[in-house]
Amino acid sequence: MHLRLATLQRSEQVIKIGIFDSGYGGLTILESIRRVLPKYDYLYLGDNARAPYGTHSFDVIYQYTLEAVKYLIEQDCALIILACNTASAKALRTIQQHDLPIINSERLNANREKVNVLGVIRPTVEAVPGITKTGHVGILGTPATVSSESYVLELQKIAPNLTISQQACPMWVPLIEAGEHDKPGADYFVDLYLREILSKDSKIDTLVLGCTHYPLLAKKIEQVAGSIQIIAQGALVAESLKDYLARHPEYRKQLSENSTCTYLTTENADRFSQSASTFLSAPIHAQHIDLITV
Ligand code: DGL
């Protein structure tokens, strides 16, 4: 009788993939992942109240990201994607090397299965050498992502002959978070940062949108960039996650399959629902949560 109850509870438990971003940007990743892996259950968390992350220091980005990761684990996420380049660049390694071993050993003691956290930079970098023809590549990112040099270091490991230029675009995320990205006012800042990166290297034929918010500016970016290839991350991250799950049954087998998606924000839920519904072209209803300092 007890055994039957335990089995029933387990099969009904919703074990999710957590998708985290500082705000709306991770929705561009979530959409692509759900297209490729529609059967799983997802929990999206946007820390909109504290966005943008990209102008903060390492300590602050790490602290905020760890709070979000711990929250998502408490909400039964077996796998968490940091759908944020800034968090991937600044916090992922410390979380993987320092925090996850502690979290997983506590879970082991409590007879619970282990969890993992993945980022978005590696899957993006792997696509670049196959796309550029001139070998001249531009990285567009937040000030924190650019100063971390994560893209440059990762690219140099797999393609040491590439010439890489970087450009921080500090105004793009605030424009998107404020819902101004499709307004004429955004044109000035799109033009400004693209002109700056192309003045560093006129042979650039491939530009990486190294921030998950930037696909929301893609139309304006493409207009200015002309024939330059623009790499957005959604499809790359989705394929990489599919491959990861195929290679890691220990996480895949934990995940429930009801095709649900729940949205959480640290900002006002109605405001998030309204903006997110526009980005996703479908109505959603978010819930407000508070992330507490750990
Ligand atoms: N979407 C985040 C990224 O990919 C934006 C960072 C921010 O909040 O500044 O970097």
Side-chain angles (χ1 to χ4, degrees), residues 61-110:
I61 296 166
Y62 165 62
Q63 177 72 21
Y64 287 179
T65 307
L66 183 59
E67 286 168 12
V69 163
K70 288 192 171 178
Y71 184 89
L72 288 169
I73 292 171
E74 274 168 27
Q75 301 302 309
D76 294 324
C77 291
L79 204 54
I80 293 160
I81 313 298
L82 300 185
C84 174
N85 291 267
T86 308
S88 299
K90 293 286 192 183
L92 179 63
R93 192 186 303 174
T94 314
I95 288 174
Q96 281 177 336
Q97 292 180 356
H98 176 261
D99 301 291
L100 269 182
I102 299 168
I103 290 168
N104 278 329
S105 103
E106 284 168 6
R107 289 178 69 84
L108 191 70
N109 290 338

mmCIF file of all heavy atoms in Angstrom, residues 61-110:
data_model
loop_
_atom_site.group_PDB
_atom_site.id
_atom_site.type_symbol
_atom_site.label_atom_id
_atom_site.label_comp_id
_atom_site.label_asym_id
_atom_site.label_seq_id
_atom_site.Cartn_x
_atom_site.Cartn_y
_atom_site.Cartn_z
ATOM 1 N N ILE A 61 26.297 39.781 -9.780
ATOM 2 C CA ILE A 61 25.714 38.864 -10.781
ATOM 3 C C ILE A 61 25.716 37.430 -10.237
ATOM 4 O O ILE A 61 24.723 36.701 -10.355
ATOM 5 C CB ILE A 61 26.476 38.951 -12.128
ATOM 6 C CG1 ILE A 61 26.311 40.352 -12.722
ATOM 7 C CG2 ILE A 61 25.978 37.898 -13.116
ATOM 8 C CD1 ILE A 61 27.264 40.669 -13.867
ATOM 9 N N TYR A 62 26.815 37.055 -9.607
ATOM 10 C CA TYR A 62 26.918 35.701 -9.034
ATOM 11 C C TYR A 62 25.862 35.506 -7.944
ATOM 12 O O TYR A 62 25.150 34.499 -7.917
ATOM 13 C CB TYR A 62 28.337 35.484 -8.500
ATOM 14 C CG TYR A 62 28.469 34.295 -7.597
ATOM 15 C CD1 TYR A 62 28.208 33.004 -8.051
ATOM 16 C CD2 TYR A 62 28.844 34.457 -6.255
ATOM 17 C CE1 TYR A 62 28.309 31.914 -7.209
ATOM 18 C CE2 TYR A 62 28.948 33.383 -5.413
ATOM 19 C CZ TYR A 62 28.675 32.112 -5.891
ATOM 20 O OH TYR A 62 28.764 31.038 -5.052
ATOM 21 N N GLN A 63 25.754 36.474 -7.048
ATOM 22 C CA GLN A 63 24.795 36.397 -5.936
ATOM 23 C C GLN A 63 23.353 36.273 -6.449
ATOM 24 O O GLN A 63 22.609 35.388 -6.038
ATOM 25 C CB GLN A 63 24.946 37.660 -5.074
ATOM 26 C CG GLN A 63 23.974 37.779 -3.923
ATOM 27 C CD GLN A 63 24.287 36.788 -2.809
ATOM 28 O OE1 GLN A 63 25.410 36.305 -2.707
ATOM 29 N NE2 GLN A 63 23.280 36.460 -2.025
ATOM 30 N N TYR A 64 22.983 37.138 -7.398
ATOM 31 C CA TYR A 64 21.616 37.116 -7.948
ATOM 32 C C TYR A 64 21.344 35.778 -8.667
ATOM 33 O O TYR A 64 20.276 35.193 -8.533
ATOM 34 C CB TYR A 64 21.418 38.252 -8.969
ATOM 35 C CG TYR A 64 21.304 39.651 -8.393
ATOM 36 C CD1 TYR A 64 21.134 40.744 -9.238
ATOM 37 C CD2 TYR A 64 21.355 39.888 -7.031
ATOM 38 C CE1 TYR A 64 21.012 42.035 -8.743
ATOM 39 C CE2 TYR A 64 21.248 41.184 -6.521
ATOM 40 C CZ TYR A 64 21.083 42.249 -7.384
ATOM 41 O OH TYR A 64 20.968 43.528 -6.901
ATOM 42 N N THR A 65 22.337 35.335 -9.445
ATOM 43 C CA THR A 65 22.132 34.101 -10.219
ATOM 44 C C THR A 65 21.998 32.903 -9.294
ATOM 45 O O THR A 65 21.142 32.036 -9.495
ATOM 46 C CB THR A 65 23.298 33.891 -11.213
ATOM 47 O OG1 THR A 65 23.448 35.076 -12.003
ATOM 48 C CG2 THR A 65 23.051 32.707 -12.131
ATOM 49 N N LEU A 66 22.833 32.865 -8.242
ATOM 50 C CA LEU A 66 22.763 31.748 -7.291
ATOM 51 C C LEU A 66 21.396 31.720 -6.595
ATOM 52 O O LEU A 66 20.817 30.645 -6.394
ATOM 53 C CB LEU A 66 23.898 31.858 -6.272
ATOM 54 C CG LEU A 66 23.999 30.716 -5.263
ATOM 55 C CD1 LEU A 66 24.205 29.370 -5.961
ATOM 56 C CD2 LEU A 66 25.137 30.970 -4.265
ATOM 57 N N GLU A 67 20.891 32.883 -6.240
ATOM 58 C CA GLU A 67 19.561 32.940 -5.610
ATOM 59 C C GLU A 67 18.505 32.341 -6.547
ATOM 60 O O GLU A 67 17.652 31.572 -6.109
ATOM 61 C CB GLU A 67 19.183 34.395 -5.291
ATOM 62 C CG GLU A 67 19.929 34.969 -4.110
ATOM 63 C CD GLU A 67 19.769 36.476 -3.974
ATOM 64 O OE1 GLU A 67 18.910 37.073 -4.647
ATOM 65 O OE2 GLU A 67 20.538 37.046 -3.184
ATOM 66 N N ALA A 68 18.594 32.697 -7.818
ATOM 67 C CA ALA A 68 17.617 32.192 -8.793
ATOM 68 C C ALA A 68 17.765 30.678 -8.965
ATOM 69 O O ALA A 68 16.764 29.950 -9.009
ATOM 70 C CB ALA A 68 17.806 32.903 -10.129
ATOM 71 N N VAL A 69 19.001 30.222 -9.061
ATOM 72 C CA VAL A 69 19.246 28.778 -9.250
ATOM 73 C C VAL A 69 18.690 28.002 -8.049
ATOM 74 O O VAL A 69 17.984 26.994 -8.216
ATOM 75 C CB VAL A 69 20.761 28.517 -9.439
ATOM 76 C CG1 VAL A 69 21.106 27.049 -9.224
ATOM 77 C CG2 VAL A 69 21.200 28.964 -10.840
ATOM 78 N N LYS A 70 18.960 28.472 -6.840
ATOM 79 C CA LYS A 70 18.473 27.770 -5.645
ATOM 80 C C LYS A 70 16.942 27.762 -5.610
ATOM 81 O O LYS A 70 16.322 26.773 -5.240
ATOM 82 C CB LYS A 70 19.036 28.414 -4.377
ATOM 83 C CG LYS A 70 20.524 28.123 -4.209
ATOM 84 C CD LYS A 70 21.021 28.507 -2.833
ATOM 85 C CE LYS A 70 22.441 27.984 -2.641
ATOM 86 N NZ LYS A 70 23.021 28.338 -1.358
ATOM 87 N N TYR A 71 16.361 28.879 -6.026
ATOM 88 C CA TYR A 71 14.904 28.959 -6.054
ATOM 89 C C TYR A 71 14.341 27.918 -7.030
ATOM 90 O O TYR A 71 13.403 27.187 -6.715
ATOM 91 C CB TYR A 71 14.445 30.364 -6.457
ATOM 92 C CG TYR A 71 12.964 30.517 -6.419
ATOM 93 C CD1 TYR A 71 12.318 30.915 -5.250
ATOM 94 C CD2 TYR A 71 12.186 30.214 -7.535
ATOM 95 C CE1 TYR A 71 10.934 31.012 -5.204
ATOM 96 C CE2 TYR A 71 10.806 30.300 -7.492
ATOM 97 C CZ TYR A 71 10.183 30.708 -6.327
ATOM 98 O OH TYR A 71 8.813 30.781 -6.276
ATOM 99 N N LEU A 72 14.927 27.853 -8.220
ATOM 100 C CA LEU A 72 14.416 26.922 -9.240
ATOM 101 C C LEU A 72 14.602 25.467 -8.789
ATOM 102 O O LEU A 72 13.759 24.612 -9.071
ATOM 103 C CB LEU A 72 15.105 27.187 -10.588
ATOM 104 C CG LEU A 72 14.658 28.484 -11.284
ATOM 105 C CD1 LEU A 72 15.570 28.818 -12.468
ATOM 106 C CD2 LEU A 72 13.207 28.385 -11.758
ATOM 107 N N ILE A 73 15.689 25.200 -8.093
ATOM 108 C CA ILE A 73 15.893 23.828 -7.584
ATOM 109 C C ILE A 73 14.806 23.501 -6.545
ATOM 110 O O ILE A 73 14.225 22.416 -6.565
ATOM 111 C CB ILE A 73 17.318 23.667 -6.992
ATOM 112 C CG1 ILE A 73 18.356 23.740 -8.117
ATOM 113 C CG2 ILE A 73 17.445 22.335 -6.237
ATOM 114 C CD1 ILE A 73 19.801 23.808 -7.652
ATOM 115 N N GLU A 74 14.516 24.468 -5.680
ATOM 116 C CA GLU A 74 13.437 24.254 -4.682
ATOM 117 C C GLU A 74 12.089 24.002 -5.358
ATOM 118 O O GLU A 74 11.231 23.337 -4.808
ATOM 119 C CB GLU A 74 13.276 25.493 -3.796
ATOM 120 C CG GLU A 74 14.199 25.527 -2.602
ATOM 121 C CD GLU A 74 14.196 26.901 -1.946
ATOM 122 O OE1 GLU A 74 13.182 27.620 -2.057
ATOM 123 O OE2 GLU A 74 15.225 27.255 -1.360
ATOM 124 N N GLN A 75 11.942 24.570 -6.557
ATOM 125 C CA GLN A 75 10.679 24.390 -7.300
ATOM 126 C C GLN A 75 10.721 23.159 -8.202
ATOM 127 O O GLN A 75 10.023 23.085 -9.200
ATOM 128 C CB GLN A 75 10.382 25.627 -8.169
ATOM 129 C CG GLN A 75 10.251 26.927 -7.412
ATOM 130 C CD GLN A 75 9.158 26.881 -6.356
ATOM 131 O OE1 GLN A 75 8.037 26.494 -6.660
ATOM 132 N NE2 GLN A 75 9.498 27.246 -5.128
ATOM 133 N N ASP A 76 11.586 22.210 -7.886
ATOM 134 C CA ASP A 76 11.666 20.923 -8.589
ATOM 135 C C ASP A 76 12.160 21.018 -10.035
ATOM 136 O O ASP A 76 11.614 20.363 -10.926
ATOM 137 C CB ASP A 76 10.310 20.188 -8.563
ATOM 138 C CG ASP A 76 9.933 19.775 -7.162
ATOM 139 O OD1 ASP A 76 10.847 19.414 -6.391
ATOM 140 O OD2 ASP A 76 8.740 19.807 -6.846
ATOM 141 N N CYS A 77 13.163 21.835 -10.273
ATOM 142 C CA CYS A 77 13.827 21.822 -11.583
ATOM 143 C C CYS A 77 15.052 20.909 -11.467
ATOM 144 O O CYS A 77 15.891 21.109 -10.586
ATOM 145 C CB CYS A 77 14.266 23.224 -11.991
ATOM 146 S SG CYS A 77 12.869 24.306 -12.368
ATOM 147 N N ALA A 78 15.127 19.916 -12.341
ATOM 148 C CA ALA A 78 16.268 18.992 -12.310
ATOM 149 C C ALA A 78 17.428 19.547 -13.124
ATOM 150 O O ALA A 78 18.588 19.200 -12.901
ATOM 151 C CB ALA A 78 15.843 17.636 -12.863
ATOM 152 N N LEU A 79 17.090 20.395 -14.070
ATOM 153 C CA LEU A 79 18.091 20.969 -14.972
ATOM 154 C C LEU A 79 17.753 22.440 -15.136
ATOM 155 O O LEU A 79 16.590 22.783 -15.345
ATOM 156 C CB LEU A 79 17.980 20.250 -16.318
ATOM 157 C CG LEU A 79 19.177 20.219 -17.246
ATOM 158 C CD1 LEU A 79 20.417 19.665 -16.558
ATOM 159 C CD2 LEU A 79 18.847 19.346 -18.457
ATOM 160 N N ILE A 80 18.775 23.287 -15.027
ATOM 161 C CA ILE A 80 18.518 24.727 -15.151
ATOM 162 C C ILE A 80 19.405 25.286 -16.254
ATOM 163 O O ILE A 80 20.618 25.029 -16.286
ATOM 164 C CB ILE A 80 18.795 25.442 -13.814
ATOM 165 C CG1 ILE A 80 17.756 24.977 -12.782
ATOM 166 C CG2 ILE A 80 18.745 26.959 -13.971
ATOM 167 C CD1 ILE A 80 18.159 25.193 -11.373
ATOM 168 N N ILE A 81 18.797 26.024 -17.164
ATOM 169 C CA ILE A 81 19.555 26.686 -18.221
ATOM 170 C C ILE A 81 19.672 28.161 -17.847
ATOM 171 O O ILE A 81 18.648 28.835 -17.687
ATOM 172 C CB ILE A 81 18.827 26.599 -19.594
ATOM 173 C CG1 ILE A 81 18.333 25.173 -19.888
ATOM 174 C CG2 ILE A 81 19.720 27.119 -20.721
ATOM 175 C CD1 ILE A 81 19.397 24.118 -19.991
ATOM 176 N N LEU A 82 20.902 28.639 -17.721
ATOM 177 C CA LEU A 82 21.097 30.076 -17.539
ATOM 178 C C LEU A 82 20.951 30.689 -18.929
ATOM 179 O O LEU A 82 21.910 30.737 -19.707
ATOM 180 C CB LEU A 82 22.479 30.385 -16.955
ATOM 181 C CG LEU A 82 22.801 29.784 -15.583
ATOM 182 C CD1 LEU A 82 24.154 30.275 -15.093
ATOM 183 C CD2 LEU A 82 21.717 30.090 -14.570
ATOM 184 N N ALA A 83 19.726 31.101 -19.259
ATOM 185 C CA ALA A 83 19.450 31.646 -20.601
ATOM 186 C C ALA A 83 19.844 33.113 -20.626
ATOM 187 O O ALA A 83 19.088 33.981 -21.094
ATOM 188 C CB ALA A 83 17.976 31.446 -20.945
ATOM 189 N N CYS A 84 21.020 33.378 -20.130
ATOM 190 C CA CYS A 84 21.533 34.732 -19.952
ATOM 191 C C CYS A 84 23.051 34.637 -20.100
ATOM 192 O O CYS A 84 23.701 33.887 -19.347
ATOM 193 C CB CYS A 84 21.159 35.221 -18.562
ATOM 194 S SG CYS A 84 21.869 36.804 -18.122
ATOM 195 N N ASN A 85 23.583 35.356 -21.066
ATOM 196 C CA ASN A 85 25.036 35.299 -21.298
ATOM 197 C C ASN A 85 25.806 35.905 -20.129
ATOM 198 O O ASN A 85 26.885 35.449 -19.783
ATOM 199 C CB ASN A 85 25.392 36.051 -22.571
ATOM 200 C CG ASN A 85 24.885 35.326 -23.790
ATOM 201 O OD1 ASN A 85 25.589 34.537 -24.385
ATOM 202 N ND2 ASN A 85 23.633 35.548 -24.146
ATOM 203 N N THR A 86 25.232 36.957 -19.546
ATOM 204 C CA THR A 86 25.905 37.637 -18.448
ATOM 205 C C THR A 86 26.062 36.680 -17.266
ATOM 206 O O THR A 86 27.149 36.565 -16.686
ATOM 207 C CB THR A 86 25.083 38.884 -18.046
ATOM 208 O OG1 THR A 86 24.844 39.648 -19.235
ATOM 209 C CG2 THR A 86 25.800 39.722 -17.033
ATOM 210 N N ALA A 87 24.986 35.979 -16.926
ATOM 211 C CA ALA A 87 25.046 35.002 -15.838
ATOM 212 C C ALA A 87 25.932 33.817 -16.227
ATOM 213 O O ALA A 87 26.696 33.302 -15.407
ATOM 214 C CB ALA A 87 23.642 34.522 -15.490
ATOM 215 N N SER A 88 25.856 33.403 -17.500
ATOM 216 C CA SER A 88 26.707 32.289 -17.957
ATOM 217 C C SER A 88 28.175 32.674 -17.876
ATOM 218 O O SER A 88 29.024 31.866 -17.502
ATOM 219 C CB SER A 88 26.367 31.916 -19.407
ATOM 220 O OG SER A 88 25.037 31.489 -19.521
ATOM 221 N N ALA A 89 28.473 33.942 -18.238
ATOM 222 C CA ALA A 89 29.873 34.385 -18.255
ATOM 223 C C ALA A 89 30.411 34.608 -16.844
ATOM 224 O O ALA A 89 31.557 34.284 -16.552
ATOM 225 C CB ALA A 89 29.990 35.687 -19.058
ATOM 226 N N LYS A 90 29.580 35.135 -15.974
ATOM 227 C CA LYS A 90 30.064 35.574 -14.661
ATOM 228 C C LYS A 90 29.801 34.579 -13.534
ATOM 229 O O LYS A 90 30.519 34.585 -12.536
ATOM 230 C CB LYS A 90 29.402 36.915 -14.284
ATOM 231 C CG LYS A 90 29.825 38.078 -15.167
ATOM 232 C CD LYS A 90 31.229 38.510 -14.818
ATOM 233 C CE LYS A 90 31.588 39.826 -15.442
ATOM 234 N NZ LYS A 90 32.963 40.238 -15.170
ATOM 235 N N ALA A 91 28.749 33.778 -13.629
ATOM 236 C CA ALA A 91 28.368 32.976 -12.463
ATOM 237 C C ALA A 91 28.413 31.471 -12.699
ATOM 238 O O ALA A 91 28.548 30.702 -11.740
ATOM 239 C CB ALA A 91 26.963 33.372 -12.026
ATOM 240 N N LEU A 92 28.292 31.034 -13.956
ATOM 241 C CA LEU A 92 28.123 29.595 -14.221
ATOM 242 C C LEU A 92 29.251 28.747 -13.650
ATOM 243 O O LEU A 92 29.012 27.760 -12.960
ATOM 244 C CB LEU A 92 27.977 29.348 -15.729
ATOM 245 C CG LEU A 92 27.808 27.884 -16.141
ATOM 246 C CD1 LEU A 92 26.522 27.285 -15.564
ATOM 247 C CD2 LEU A 92 27.808 27.731 -17.662
ATOM 248 N N ARG A 93 30.494 29.145 -13.936
ATOM 249 C CA ARG A 93 31.612 28.300 -13.519
ATOM 250 C C ARG A 93 31.671 28.157 -11.990
ATOM 251 O O ARG A 93 31.864 27.061 -11.461
ATOM 252 C CB ARG A 93 32.947 28.832 -14.044
ATOM 253 C CG ARG A 93 34.000 27.762 -13.830
ATOM 254 C CD ARG A 93 35.387 28.171 -14.160
ATOM 255 N NE ARG A 93 35.509 28.630 -15.525
ATOM 256 C CZ ARG A 93 36.629 29.160 -16.001
ATOM 257 N NH1 ARG A 93 37.679 29.259 -15.233
ATOM 258 N NH2 ARG A 93 36.692 29.576 -17.243
ATOM 259 N N THR A 94 31.479 29.256 -11.273
ATOM 260 C CA THR A 94 31.528 29.190 -9.807
ATOM 261 C C THR A 94 30.381 28.333 -9.278
ATOM 262 O O THR A 94 30.562 27.534 -8.352
ATOM 263 C CB THR A 94 31.450 30.611 -9.193
ATOM 264 O OG1 THR A 94 32.356 31.440 -9.906
ATOM 265 C CG2 THR A 94 31.811 30.617 -7.733
ATOM 266 N N ILE A 95 29.211 28.480 -9.886
ATOM 267 C CA ILE A 95 28.066 27.663 -9.442
ATOM 268 C C ILE A 95 28.358 26.185 -9.704
ATOM 269 O O ILE A 95 28.135 25.335 -8.843
ATOM 270 C CB ILE A 95 26.760 28.130 -10.128
ATOM 271 C CG1 ILE A 95 26.337 29.483 -9.534
ATOM 272 C CG2 ILE A 95 25.647 27.098 -9.977
ATOM 273 C CD1 ILE A 95 25.148 30.151 -10.199
ATOM 274 N N GLN A 96 28.887 25.883 -10.906
ATOM 275 C CA GLN A 96 29.167 24.473 -11.234
ATOM 276 C C GLN A 96 30.266 23.896 -10.336
ATOM 277 O O GLN A 96 30.196 22.757 -9.902
ATOM 278 C CB GLN A 96 29.594 24.349 -12.698
ATOM 279 C CG GLN A 96 28.421 24.396 -13.668
ATOM 280 C CD GLN A 96 28.858 24.341 -15.122
ATOM 281 O OE1 GLN A 96 29.989 24.708 -15.446
ATOM 282 N NE2 GLN A 96 27.970 23.925 -16.005
ATOM 283 N N GLN A 97 31.299 24.691 -10.097
ATOM 284 C CA GLN A 97 32.447 24.139 -9.376
ATOM 285 C C GLN A 97 32.315 24.246 -7.857
ATOM 286 O O GLN A 97 32.834 23.418 -7.126
ATOM 287 C CB GLN A 97 33.731 24.834 -9.831
ATOM 288 C CG GLN A 97 34.059 24.485 -11.275
ATOM 289 C CD GLN A 97 35.316 25.153 -11.783
ATOM 290 O OE1 GLN A 97 35.937 25.958 -11.075
ATOM 291 N NE2 GLN A 97 35.699 24.840 -12.996
ATOM 292 N N HIS A 98 31.648 25.269 -7.369
ATOM 293 C CA HIS A 98 31.569 25.473 -5.925
ATOM 294 C C HIS A 98 30.207 25.117 -5.330
ATOM 295 O O HIS A 98 30.139 24.360 -4.355
ATOM 296 C CB HIS A 98 31.928 26.934 -5.589
ATOM 297 C CG HIS A 98 31.774 27.244 -4.143
ATOM 298 N ND1 HIS A 98 30.662 27.888 -3.634
ATOM 299 C CD2 HIS A 98 32.562 26.963 -3.078
ATOM 300 C CE1 HIS A 98 30.785 27.995 -2.321
ATOM 301 N NE2 HIS A 98 31.925 27.448 -1.950
ATOM 302 N N ASP A 99 29.143 25.633 -5.904
ATOM 303 C CA ASP A 99 27.826 25.496 -5.257
ATOM 304 C C ASP A 99 27.134 24.165 -5.562
ATOM 305 O O ASP A 99 26.540 23.564 -4.673
ATOM 306 C CB ASP A 99 26.918 26.666 -5.673
ATOM 307 C CG ASP A 99 27.538 27.988 -5.276
ATOM 308 O OD1 ASP A 99 27.602 28.267 -4.076
ATOM 309 O OD2 ASP A 99 28.015 28.715 -6.166
ATOM 310 N N LEU A 100 27.208 23.717 -6.831
ATOM 311 C CA LEU A 100 26.485 22.487 -7.175
ATOM 312 C C LEU A 100 26.982 21.263 -6.397
ATOM 313 O O LEU A 100 26.156 20.459 -5.957
ATOM 314 C CB LEU A 100 26.566 22.222 -8.682
ATOM 315 C CG LEU A 100 25.438 22.824 -9.527
ATOM 316 C CD1 LEU A 100 25.620 22.447 -10.994
ATOM 317 C CD2 LEU A 100 24.058 22.384 -9.056
ATOM 318 N N PRO A 101 28.298 21.104 -6.202
ATOM 319 C CA PRO A 101 28.731 19.951 -5.408
ATOM 320 C C PRO A 101 28.119 19.947 -3.996
ATOM 321 O O PRO A 101 27.711 18.896 -3.492
ATOM 322 C CB PRO A 101 30.254 20.116 -5.344
ATOM 323 C CG PRO A 101 30.590 20.899 -6.578
ATOM 324 C CD PRO A 101 29.434 21.825 -6.791
ATOM 325 N N ILE A 102 27.990 21.130 -3.389
ATOM 326 C CA ILE A 102 27.393 21.211 -2.038
ATOM 327 C C ILE A 102 25.897 20.870 -2.116
ATOM 328 O O ILE A 102 25.389 20.051 -1.357
ATOM 329 C CB ILE A 102 27.582 22.637 -1.438
ATOM 330 C CG1 ILE A 102 29.070 22.958 -1.303
ATOM 331 C CG2 ILE A 102 26.868 22.766 -0.095
ATOM 332 C CD1 ILE A 102 29.379 24.421 -0.997
ATOM 333 N N ILE A 103 25.225 21.496 -3.094
ATOM 334 C CA ILE A 103 23.775 21.263 -3.257
ATOM 335 C C ILE A 103 23.515 19.770 -3.509
ATOM 336 O O ILE A 103 22.645 19.157 -2.895
ATOM 337 C CB ILE A 103 23.220 22.118 -4.427
ATOM 338 C CG1 ILE A 103 23.229 23.602 -4.042
ATOM 339 C CG2 ILE A 103 21.817 21.664 -4.838
ATOM 340 C CD1 ILE A 103 22.984 24.576 -5.193
ATOM 341 N N ASN A 104 24.316 19.169 -4.407
ATOM 342 C CA ASN A 104 24.069 17.773 -4.766
ATOM 343 C C ASN A 104 24.426 16.809 -3.638
ATOM 344 O O ASN A 104 23.781 15.770 -3.491
ATOM 345 C CB ASN A 104 24.802 17.420 -6.068
ATOM 346 C CG ASN A 104 23.998 17.869 -7.280
ATOM 347 O OD1 ASN A 104 22.758 17.888 -7.242
ATOM 348 N ND2 ASN A 104 24.680 18.260 -8.350
ATOM 349 N N SER A 105 25.433 17.166 -2.829
ATOM 350 C CA SER A 105 25.738 16.245 -1.723
ATOM 351 C C SER A 105 24.634 16.323 -0.661
ATOM 352 O O SER A 105 24.248 15.309 -0.084
ATOM 353 C CB SER A 105 27.151 16.487 -1.172
ATOM 354 O OG SER A 105 27.117 17.186 0.010
ATOM 355 N N GLU A 106 24.059 17.520 -0.464
ATOM 356 C CA GLU A 106 22.907 17.627 0.461
ATOM 357 C C GLU A 106 21.711 16.829 -0.075
ATOM 358 O O GLU A 106 21.008 16.180 0.669
ATOM 359 C CB GLU A 106 22.497 19.101 0.628
ATOM 360 C CG GLU A 106 23.442 19.863 1.538
ATOM 361 C CD GLU A 106 23.233 21.392 1.502
ATOM 362 O OE1 GLU A 106 22.268 21.874 0.842
ATOM 363 O OE2 GLU A 106 24.045 22.080 2.112
ATOM 364 N N ARG A 107 21.530 16.894 -1.400
ATOM 365 C CA ARG A 107 20.417 16.157 -2.003
ATOM 366 C C ARG A 107 20.621 14.646 -1.868
ATOM 367 O O ARG A 107 19.685 13.904 -1.598
ATOM 368 C CB ARG A 107 20.260 16.538 -3.488
ATOM 369 C CG ARG A 107 19.734 17.953 -3.675
ATOM 370 C CD ARG A 107 19.631 18.315 -5.147
ATOM 371 N NE ARG A 107 18.584 17.576 -5.832
ATOM 372 C CZ ARG A 107 17.299 17.929 -5.855
ATOM 373 N NH1 ARG A 107 16.913 19.012 -5.221
ATOM 374 N NH2 ARG A 107 16.423 17.204 -6.513
ATOM 375 N N LEU A 108 21.873 14.224 -2.064
ATOM 376 C CA LEU A 108 22.191 12.794 -1.929
ATOM 377 C C LEU A 108 21.855 12.313 -0.515
ATOM 378 O O LEU A 108 21.225 11.267 -0.331
ATOM 379 C CB LEU A 108 23.685 12.579 -2.228
ATOM 380 C CG LEU A 108 24.146 11.139 -2.391
ATOM 381 C CD1 LEU A 108 23.582 10.553 -3.683
ATOM 382 C CD2 LEU A 108 25.671 11.076 -2.429
ATOM 383 N N ASN A 109 22.250 13.128 0.490
ATOM 384 C CA ASN A 109 21.953 12.775 1.888
ATOM 385 C C ASN A 109 20.454 12.702 2.141
ATOM 386 O O ASN A 109 19.997 11.948 2.994
ATOM 387 C CB ASN A 109 22.564 13.801 2.862
ATOM 388 C CG ASN A 109 24.083 13.674 2.883
ATOM 389 O OD1 ASN A 109 24.631 12.634 2.536
ATOM 390 N ND2 ASN A 109 24.760 14.744 3.286
ATOM 391 N N ALA A 110 19.706 13.524 1.407
ATOM 392 C CA ALA A 110 18.242 13.536 1.585
ATOM 393 C C ALA A 110 17.568 12.554 0.632
ATOM 394 O O ALA A 110 16.346 12.587 0.455
ATOM 395 C CB ALA A 110 17.719 14.929 1.360
#
